[in-house]
Structure formats: structure tokens, C-alpha cells
Amino acid sequence: MKNPVFTLAIAFFVIFANWRSLGAEESESPAEVSFIRDVAPILVGKCQSCHGAKTAESNYRLDTFEKLMQFGDFEMAPVTAGNLDDSEFHRLITAEDEEERMPNNGDQLTGVEIQLIDNWISQGAKFDGQDPAALIKGQLPRVAHPSAPATYSTALPLAALTFSADGGQLLVGGYHEILVWDPVAGTLLDRVGDIPQRVYGLEFSPDKSLLAVAGGSPGVSGEVQLIPWTEAPKPKAKAQILATHDDVFFDVSFRPDGLQLAAACSDGSVRVFDVATGEQTRKIDNHADWVTDLCYSADGKLLATASRDKTAKVFSAETGELIATYSGSNKPVEAVAISPDAKQVISTSGNVVRIWNVEDSKVVGDLSGFGAEVFALLTDAESVIAASADKSVRRFTLADRKQSLAITDHPHSVLSLAWHVASKRLSTGCFDGTVSLWNLEDGALLKRFVAIPPKATPAN
Ligand code: HEC
């Protein structure tokens, strides 16, 4: 049934949109339309529910750019660059007949939306996203993150922490921010905002000039940020967004030469970036589930990954080629590390910490003593440190797998670890928001505080 008021409104909108673009630009050609900025949000919001992976009406999908350009049952080109008359898109979004018009659920594109799509087609239907084969939803333009709350009603589980170069600052993932603490005094030094809701991975580049952040909002969005970092006076310059996704990124790791950055994604992929340009140079699609942790070998040649698919793997950092898989775990693999000689991998699954050979994936032995899941690992030249949900952190000698230190008095599950090698200090982050600073020589507790911003420190 035709609704005259509605039709009039549409006509007005179309005229208004045309008039406005003419007026604003003072030229005959409308402003350049960006696919990702202008068109993609319309498609995701108004079309994808019927033309996506789950429901593909008329066997037509538009959830990736590649699919959008391929026809469905109509066998008519959805979009012909520069030619509206040969574009089903144009015909269907402007169809007079309500039954035929898209979207065909009674919803209706506004005149402005129709004009944007038409202008985009007329201007050559260019793709300006990150990857034509990837979900459009994951490539939508970035909106600034909400500000962090002044203080938190409850502490957050501490999934990520890291020391600054001189050990004088401890960076801890907060809620839409990074909290910069003085780890010895337990005082808050700074708050860095415009960060994903939750932070799962934090790592400084080897020269400490860049901070990489992996995080997101579970099931909603994910992001990898690269932040130029100077400790004074204000640490944060403008962050570069290296990648976005519709679910979180769990970890980031710099290759020891600082030229490459790898990120672990919940889509089972590893994204590899060129640090100088910020461009994604490789996507390794090998795991069948979340990649939960990753790290490079000391020589920069290997990249090891942990996954919820219950495997740990080793790839060539140069080519992305799969070198080894360890599939002897019966639970998700939570953490992974590589021995300093790059011959062995240490991976954790449940309460098992296993060492296995890169060459043949054979088990060398286990680091035992844990009563619950092991969530984090660190290595140096001769030892491994592991953190567990049994509230303990244990250090082992790599050569004989003997325990050399056990710290068992944490208030809750230990989720994260940071090591400041020069000062021999270890920092641990617990599920209940507790940060502890330890002397790694004798296991003495130096400081403990809960990472909640005091009320008097306004958020950035
Ligand atoms: C409520 C479900 C629904 C929504 C929302 C929807 N469509 Fe459709 N679409 C359909 C159905 C059903 C058909 C098949 C129509 C037919 O057979 O007459 C179709 C067909 C199409 C086709 C032809 C595909 C082919 O076979 O080659 C295109 C192109 C298309 N839609 C684009 C869009 C666009 C663009 C939007 C958003 C502006 C959209 N659709 C929103 C249900 C929907």
C-alpha cells in the first residue's frame, strides 16, 4: 500500500540531499562517497540481516565486499561501477513497488541513504576498506571510545600489564583506558584514554617508543592500537589503529627487531603488521578457534601461537608457513613461550605446562606443581615463570625443569605477568584487580595494591 505522506517525504529528502550537496560543494558533482564510511554502515544496519552468512535471501550475500559484487539467484550484477542502470542495487533500493523494494521488510532507506549508495556507484563503486574478502562489519569506521569512568565500582580482572623501560611505571589495562601506576608507591601516575573497553594484550616495542594494545568488547568489537610513547610529560600521542574486528584481539607481540608486530584474533587468525607503515602484511588463517596468546622467538624467526582449539603452533615469522603443531592438549591452550635457543616451545593447557620440540612436536617434559589453569608465561635465558588460577606463580629452570621459586600468596587467580629484568622485579595481576610487586631473587613481596583509580583523578 502506497503512503502518500511517506512518498512525499522521500521526494523531499532526495531533493534536499541533492540541493544540499550542490550548495555545500558549489559544484555539479556530489562529494566523494566513501564505501567504508558512508555505504557500509547502511548495508550492515539495513541489509545484512537477510543477506549474510546465516540468511542469504535469493542466495545473495553482502557481508563481505567480494560477495556484495557477486550476483545471487537474479543473475544480475548487483553493482556495475559507474552505471546505475546496470546495478540491481539501484533498481531495488528505488523500486516503486514496495514488495520489490529493498530492504523488503517494511523498513525503508532514507533519501540521503539512497543518494549515498547511488553516488558511490556512479563514482566508480570503489572499495576503500582493509580487505575485500573480510567481513564488512569488522571494517566499519572507528568511533572514539567512550571516556573511562571517574572511578570503578568493582576492580577489573587484570589480563594485561607491562613495565616501562626503567621500571618506574607499570601500565595496567583498565576500563576504556590504560592506568599508569608507580609500582613501588602504588600510586596512579596517569590515565590514558580512548582505549578499547577491555585490554587483553600490552607490549612495548623493543626500543620502548611504541606501545601495542590488543583488546575489545567481547562479541562486539576488537582493536589493535599502536601508541607512540614518551614517559613525560604526557605519554599519549595519537594512536594508530592497525586493525579492527567484530570480536576481540587477545594479544600482541613485537618481533625482537621491532619491525614486525603480530596480533592474536578471536577469529582464529594471526595478523602481522609492518610497524613502520602500520599495514597488515599477512593474515595467517590456521587455527580453528580464538588465538589466545602469541610470541616470537629471540632470533625473530619463529612465531608461536596458543589457541582455544586446543593446539599450539609454530609458524615461520618470515613466510607465515606452518612449521609445527602440538595437539596433545585436551583443553584450550592459554599461553605459549619459546625457549631462548628456539628449539622448544612451552605451552599451557589446564594445569599442564608442557615443553615440546619445534623439530618433531615431541614432548620433552612438564613443569609440574599447578593445581589449576595456567594463564601466563614468561621466559628469560634460563628460566620460565608461569602464573596460575591456583593463586601461585612458579619459576623453573629450563634445563632440568626444576622449580626454583614458588610465590603462593596471591589473593586470587593470577592472570598476567610482567618482568623488569634489570631490577629483578616481577609484577603480577590478579582476577580481583590486585597488583603485586615481587623481588624475583627471593620472592619477597614489595608492594600490593588494587588497580582502581582513586576518585580524585579525572579520566582522560
Ligand atoms: C527482510 C529481508 C531483506 C532485507 C532486509 C533486504 N533484502 Fe534484499 N532480498 C530479500 C529477498 C527476499 C530477495 C529476493 C527477492 C525476490 O525474489 O523477489 C532479495 C534480493 C536482493 C537482491 C537481488 C539478489 C540476487 O538474486 O542477485 C539484492 C541485490 C538485494 N536484495 C539487495 C538488498 C539491499 C541493498 C538491501 C538493504 C538496503 C536488502 N537487500 C535488504 C530480502 C531482504
Side-chain angles (χ1 to χ4, degrees):
M1 191 73 94
K2 275 258 155 67
N3 176 339
V5 178
F6 212 29
T7 314
L8 202 66
I10 291 296
F12 173 74
F13 256 123
V14 174
I15 292 162
F16 177 72
N18 277 324
W19 166 79
R20 204 181 53 158
S21 62
L22 277 176
E25 300 298 316
E26 288 183 348
S27 75
E28 316 83 63
S29 56
E32 182 85 22
V33 177
S34 151
F35 176 74
I36 284 295
R37 186 192 64 213
D38 306 318
V39 176
I42 305 172
L43 304 183
V44 170
K46 298 206 169 165
C47 317
Q48 194 168 298
S49 57
C50 295
H51 297 292
K54 283 200 194 95
T55 309
E57 294 287 3
S58 200
N59 278 315
Y60 176 65
R61 286 172 60 174
L62 42 63
D63 49 339
T64 73
F65 186 75
E66 260 175 25
K67 295 237 158 59
L68 180 155
M69 300 300 277
Q70 294 159 12
F71 57 63
D73 289 346
F74 287 14
E75 302 199 358
M76 304 273 280
V79 171
T80 303
N83 189 335
L84 282 184
D85 294 336
D86 277 344
S87 297
E88 276 294 283
F89 245 67
H90 168 69
R91 195 180 68 76
L92 291 171
I93 61 177
T94 56
E96 285 283 309
D97 180 354
E98 239 178 82
E99 308 249 293
E100 204 184 4
R101 191 172 55 223
M102 291 294 143
N104 80 347
N105 54 358
D107 211 354
Q108 170 99 39
L109 297 190
T110 66
V112 174
E113 288 172 333
I114 292 171
Q115 199 60 57
L116 281 170
I117 295 177
D118 280 357
N119 287 349
W120 171 70
I121 296 173
S122 305
Q123 291 169 0
K126 287 189 278 293
F127 177 71
D128 55 358
Q130 297 166 32
D131 181 355
L135 289 177
I136 290 171
K137 194 179 157 205
Q139 305 177 58
L140 292 182
R142 174 169 185 270
V143 281
H145 293 291
S147 334
T151 186
Y152 305 168
S153 50
T154 55
L156 296 177
L158 301 182
L161 36 80
T162 191
F163 282 106
S164 63
D166 66 0
Q169 296 182 347
L170 183 71
L171 281 62
V172 177
Y175 191 82
H176 280 301
E177 64 180 338
I178 291 168
L179 300 169
V180 184
W181 297 88
D182 174 334
V184 178
T187 50
L188 186 61
L189 300 172
D190 209 342
R191 307 176 70 169
V192 178
D194 200 12
I195 296 291
Q197 188 196 77
R198 301 297 319 280
V199 176
Y200 296 103
L202 273 182
E203 190 172 303
F204 276 110
S205 57
D207 69 358
K208 311 281 179 185
S209 67
L210 294 166
L211 177 72
V213 182
S217 167
V220 176
S221 62
E223 199 169 283
V224 179
Q225 284 194 8
L226 206 51
I227 306 174
W229 197 269
T230 43
E231 285 187 27
K234 202 71 183 155
K236 193 177 175 183
K238 199 158 170 46
Q240 195 183 2
I241 310 301
L242 300 189
T244 54
H245 183 56
D246 59 9
D247 202 348
V248 305
F249 284 88
F250 284 108
D251 196 24
V252 271
S253 181
F254 282 94
R255 199 167 68 181
D257 64 7
L259 301 178
Q260 224 180 54
L261 177 78
C265 189
S266 50
D267 67 0
S269 74
V270 173
R271 316 290 182 91
V272 181
F273 307 93
D274 179 280
V275 171
T277 63
E279 260 167 43
Q280 185 175 310
T281 52
R282 176 166 288 116
K283 185 173 172 214
I284 305 173
D285 273 309
N286 197 295
H287 281 290
D289 207 332
W290 300 352
V291 179
T292 51
D293 193 24
L294 47 71
C295 68
Y296 283 94
S297 56
D299 62 8
K301 292 190 175 148
L302 305 178
L303 179 62
T305 53
S307 170
R308 196 165 74 157
D309 71 8
K310 301 176 189 167
T311 68
K313 292 177 189 264
V314 177
F315 300 91
S316 156
E318 213 41 63
T319 64
E321 176 197 354
L322 179 66
I323 293 173
T325 301
Y326 178 70
S327 42
S329 301
N330 56 12
K331 292 199 172 118
V333 182
E334 302 281 359
V336 70
I338 303 180
S339 66
D341 62 6
K343 296 211 163 95
Q344 294 166 348
V345 174
I346 304 114
S347 59
T348 78
S349 171
N351 66 346
V352 180
V353 183
R354 187 146 288 167
I355 305 184
W356 49 278
N357 285 325
V358 173
E359 194 179 15
D360 55 11
S361 303
K362 287 227 170 77
V363 176
V364 177
D366 289 353
L367 305 177
S368 49
F370 293 103
E373 286 113 303
V374 177
F375 289 123
L377 284 176
L378 286 177
T379 51
D380 74 343
E382 64 261 2
S383 67
V384 182
I385 300 176
S388 167
D390 72 2
K391 306 179 186 175
S392 80
V393 167
R394 293 163 200 276
R395 187 177 189 178
F396 302 85
T397 313
L398 249 178
D400 59 9
R401 302 189 299 280
K402 292 237 165 72
Q403 182 176 299
S404 60
L405 180 71
I407 298 174
T408 52
D409 48 344
H410 282 95
H412 213 293
S413 303
V414 190
L415 303 184
S416 51
L417 291 170
W419 190 344
H420 192 254
V421 177
S423 64
K424 301 191 172 68
R425 280 175 179 170
L426 178 79
S427 180
T428 53
C430 283
F431 186 85
D432 65 356
T434 308
V435 174
S436 309
L437 183 71
W438 308 91
N439 178 339
L440 206 44
E441 295 281 89
D442 55 8
L445 178 65
L446 303 174
K447 184 71 192 173
R448 175 167 285 168
F449 59 94
V450 180
I452 294 184
K455 282 200 180 67
T457 50
N460 272 341

